[in-house]
């Protein structure tokens, strides 16, 4: 038995997102025995997106979730869907042996495939999630501008010239009432949205396609074999295939997965509604993040609040005072917000992989896993959901490309993993001061 140690069922975080749900559906607890084609462990974006893909292909699917759909990072993140890929350089090095000169095309396609999936799904299933276009990648020093100029040139070569625009300091000030940036790359292909409403909308879509969804149903054991199963305290799901999609929250299968993924805690705050000031500060309603290794990210919500996150904590422990840590950051970004009330604050655990390449693989012949997006989960989880659905239904090319990548496994992962990550990020922050 591989026992999960995740705490028992919990309600969603007291966040802006949970306070503005469009769907209050509560799915039942698993009781008794159920038979399906594929059972997915984890009701976040990876599990739900994969369920939609598989159900659209005609398979009978079940999702089993310890807490609530969208309870973890999928329902707590910054809501930005960008073409940034964590680990793209590591992917390029490792995948070149398999893909040859096609590796650059493969990675570029990945950058924006998640955008397409999300937009198509929102349109097809009528999901109300405040989906909007427009993003700024903001520079705080000349070396950042060099990086943005290189990406803009690549985008031009890839036919995205009408969707990207380099801005100088004055150009940024026309988009943001902030003194902080010396330039930015504007990208109108990138998106931002209400992630919890997207996750819940996709769950409803999967359910409408025949998927079974069980909440408050912690998986205690994965049974391997020709007819695998998952076991909870009150039930059992037998399936032809099992997919483990719990990311950093589960503790299942430690024999093969321990020491491969680690939690980093990010904090997010949301102000009181800003009224006309919201449009003054961000007249084109763009999402923003900066170019630093440990960055700030923010956007305006549908009701005109500033939603601001940053300061990832690689110790694996929650901050005691998220608002106290982030208030100086957003007041420095927007001096006009000095003293504005903060109405919501919450944390978000991100699954960090040492080399930043998403981890896809098989634990046995019929048991698959998919995890580790290192802070870029909305778009990447939808890309991986498509790849996993293709693999489970017999098309293994993209899955094998990821599964063939090597990953560092940290000995005594629970003891050493986060201290090593924290040391690594200290090193990168020191490099930041030099570049």
């Amino acid at each position: 038995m591989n026992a999960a140690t995740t705490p028992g069922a919990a309600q969603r975080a007291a966040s802006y997102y949970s306070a503005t749900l469009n769907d209050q559906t509560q799915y039942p607890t698993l009781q008794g025995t159920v038979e399906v084609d594929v059972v997915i462990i984890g009701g976040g974006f990876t599990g739900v997106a994969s369920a939609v893909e598989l159900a659209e292909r005609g398979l009978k699917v079940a999702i089993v979730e310890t807490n609530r759909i969208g309870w973890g990072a999928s329902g707590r993140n910054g809501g930005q869907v960008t073409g940034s890929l964590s680990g793209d350089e590591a992917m390029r090095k490792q995948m070149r042996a398999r893909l040859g000169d096609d590796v650059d095309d493969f990675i570029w396609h990945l950058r924006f495939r998640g955008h397409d999936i999300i937009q198509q799904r929102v349109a097809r299933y009528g999901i109300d999630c405040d989906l909007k276009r427009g993003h700024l990648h903001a520079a705080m020093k000349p070396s950042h501008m060099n990086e943005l100029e290189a990406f803009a040139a690549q985008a031009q070569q890839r036919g995205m010239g009408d969707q990207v625009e380099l801005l100088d300091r004055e150009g940024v000030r026309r988009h943001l009432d902030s003194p902080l940036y010396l330039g930015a790359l504007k990208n109108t292909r990138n998106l931002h949205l209400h992630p919890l409403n997207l996750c819940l909308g996709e769950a409803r879509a999967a359910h409408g396609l025949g998927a079974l969804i069980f909440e408050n149903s912690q998986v205690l054991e994965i049974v391997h074999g020709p007819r695998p199963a998952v076991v909870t305290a009150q039930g059992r799901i037998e399936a032809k295939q099992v997919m483990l999609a719990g990311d950093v929250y589960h503790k299942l299968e430690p024999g093969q997965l321990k020491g491969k993924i680690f939690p980093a805690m990010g904090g997010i705050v949301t102000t009181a509604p800003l009224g006309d000031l919201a449009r003054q500060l961000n007249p084109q309603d763009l999402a923003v993040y900066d170019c630093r290794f440990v960055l700030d990210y923010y956007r305006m919500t549908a009701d005109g609040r500033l939603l601001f996150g940053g300061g990832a904590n690689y110790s694996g422990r929650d901050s005691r005072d998220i608002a106290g840590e982030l208030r100086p950051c957003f007041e420095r970004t927007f001096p006009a917000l000095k003293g504005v009330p903060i109405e919501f604050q919450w944390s978000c655990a991100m699954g960090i992989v040492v080399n930043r390449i998403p981890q896809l693989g098989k634990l046995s012949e019929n048991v698959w896993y998919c995890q580790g997006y290192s802070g870029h989960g909305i778009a990447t989880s939808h890309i991986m959901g498509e790849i996993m659905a293709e693999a489970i239904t017999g098309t293994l090319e993209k899955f094998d490309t990821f599964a063939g990548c090597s990953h560092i496994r940290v000995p005594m992962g629970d003891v050493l993993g986060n201290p090593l990550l924290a040391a690594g990020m200290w090193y990168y922050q020191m490099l930041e001061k030099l570049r």
Side-chain angles (χ1 to χ4, degrees):
M1 175 181 290
N2 295 295
T5 58
T6 307
Q11 294 303 307
R12 297 188 180 93
S15 69
Y16 167 78
Y17 296 133
S18 60
T20 52
L21 293 182
N22 291 331
D23 187 344
Q24 298 286 352
T25 302
Q26 296 194 37
Y27 295 99
T29 299
L30 174 64
Q31 295 182 324
T33 300
V34 175
E35 293 188 14
V36 295
D37 295 315
V38 183
V39 55
I40 299 170
I41 303 168
F45 275 134
T46 301
V48 171
S50 299
V52 174
E53 296 279 355
L54 290 164
E56 287 178 339
R57 289 164 167 78
L59 275 68
K60 186 175 182 181
V61 183
I63 299 172
V64 58
E65 162 60 39
T66 296
N67 299 294
R68 305 290 306 280
I69 296 297
W71 179 86
S74 298
R76 307 189 197 191
N77 60 72
Q80 299 194 24
V81 184
T82 72
S84 297
L85 282 178
S86 188
D88 53 349
E89 288 305 316
M91 287 183 208
R92 187 171 283 106
K93 290 177 182 178
Q94 292 211 35
M95 295 176 178
R96 187 171 293 280
R98 181 181 182 87
L99 300 177
D101 291 340
D102 292 336
V103 67
D104 291 329
D105 292 339
F106 179 79
I107 291 173
W108 184 264
H109 174 76
L110 286 179
R111 287 189 183 280
F112 297 101
R113 179 58 189 154
H115 300 55
D116 296 338
I117 294 169
I118 290 168
Q119 290 178 103
Q120 291 163 8
R121 194 160 292 163
V122 166
R124 181 180 302 136
Y125 296 107
I127 300 172
D128 181 5
C129 60
D130 304 334
L131 180 63
K132 301 173 185 176
R133 283 182 176 272
H135 178 261
L136 289 183
H137 195 180
M140 303 179 75
K141 57 174 65 176
S143 60
H144 294 167
M145 282 303 298
N146 294 338
E147 296 168 14
L148 298 181
E149 288 166 0
F151 185 87
Q154 186 180 19
Q156 289 276 356
Q157 294 170 359
R158 294 281 179 173
M160 275 183 59
D162 61 337
Q163 295 175 308
V164 297
E165 178 186 2
L166 278 169
L167 305 175
D168 60 14
R169 185 184 296 274
E170 290 305 312
V172 175
R173 289 303 296 264
R174 291 193 294 271
H175 293 76
L176 294 174
D177 187 11
S178 171
L180 208 55
Y181 309 114
L182 60 85
L185 181 68
K186 181 179 179 181
N187 186 321
T188 57
R189 189 169 182 178
N190 286 341
L191 311 170
H192 53 106
L193 49 77
H194 189 303
L196 183 53
N197 277 335
L198 175 61
C199 192
L200 293 171
E202 290 184 282
R204 179 177 286 274
H207 191 255
L209 292 166
L212 305 174
I213 301 177
F214 301 101
E215 294 181 316
N216 301 325
S217 302
Q218 182 182 18
V219 172
L220 303 175
E221 179 186 2
I222 299 174
V223 178
H224 296 260
R227 184 67 177 180
V230 301
V231 180
T232 70
Q234 301 180 57
R236 178 186 181 99
I237 303 179
E238 298 181 347
K240 298 173 184 175
Q241 308 281 345
V242 174
M243 177 180 162
L244 180 52
D247 203 60
V248 77
Y249 287 95
H250 76 86
K251 297 296 181 183
L252 293 160
E253 301 295 329
Q256 296 188 62
L257 295 181
K258 185 177 181 180
K260 296 183 74 172
I261 184 173
F262 305 95
M265 307 305 295
I268 300 179
V269 297
T270 309
T271 68
L274 301 176
D276 293 340
L277 184 56
R279 180 64 62 180
Q280 175 186 322
L281 297 177
N282 189 345
Q284 295 191 23
D285 201 8
L286 303 172
V288 184
Y289 59 65
D290 64 63
C291 294
R292 294 174 298 170
F293 288 117
V294 180
L295 51 83
D296 292 335
Y297 52 91
Y298 55 89
R299 62 190 182 86
M300 296 297 176
T301 64
D303 57 353
R305 305 166 185 266
L306 178 70
L307 186 149
F308 191 101
N313 172 1
Y314 287 83
S315 72
R317 297 186 297 271
D318 267 324
S319 166
R320 294 182 179 180
D321 183 9
I322 296 167
E325 292 176 3
L326 292 182
R327 178 179 287 281
C329 300
F330 76 70
E331 290 183 349
R332 181 174 67 249
T333 305
F334 294 114
L337 295 184
K338 188 172 181 60
V340 69
I342 293 173
E343 293 196 350
F344 298 95
Q345 59 175 311
W346 67 94
S347 63
C348 172
M350 300 170 281
I352 305 296
V353 175
V354 173
N355 64 10
R356 301 302 201 265
I357 302 175
Q359 296 173 345
L360 280 63
K362 297 183 77 171
L363 299 168
S364 59
E365 182 60 29
N366 299 313
V367 179
W368 313 68
Y369 69 91
C370 180
Q371 62 183 24
Y373 310 132
S374 302
H376 297 268
I378 302 181
T380 309
S381 60
H382 286 79
I383 299 165
M384 298 304 144
E386 182 178 64
I387 292 173
M388 294 303 295
E390 289 174 352
I392 289 170
T393 55
T395 303
L396 291 163
E397 182 179 0
K398 293 175 184 175
F399 172 85
D400 287 344
T401 298
F402 277 94
C405 292
S406 300
H407 291 278
I408 297 170
R409 183 169 179 173
V410 178
M412 300 173 62
D414 290 346
V415 176
L416 295 180
N418 281 105
L420 287 174
L421 278 181
M425 288 312 298
W426 176 85
Y427 170 75
Y428 281 115
Q429 286 177 284
M430 294 302 101
L431 286 183
E432 178 73 55
K433 297 180 184 298
L434 300 175
R435 69 174 182 143

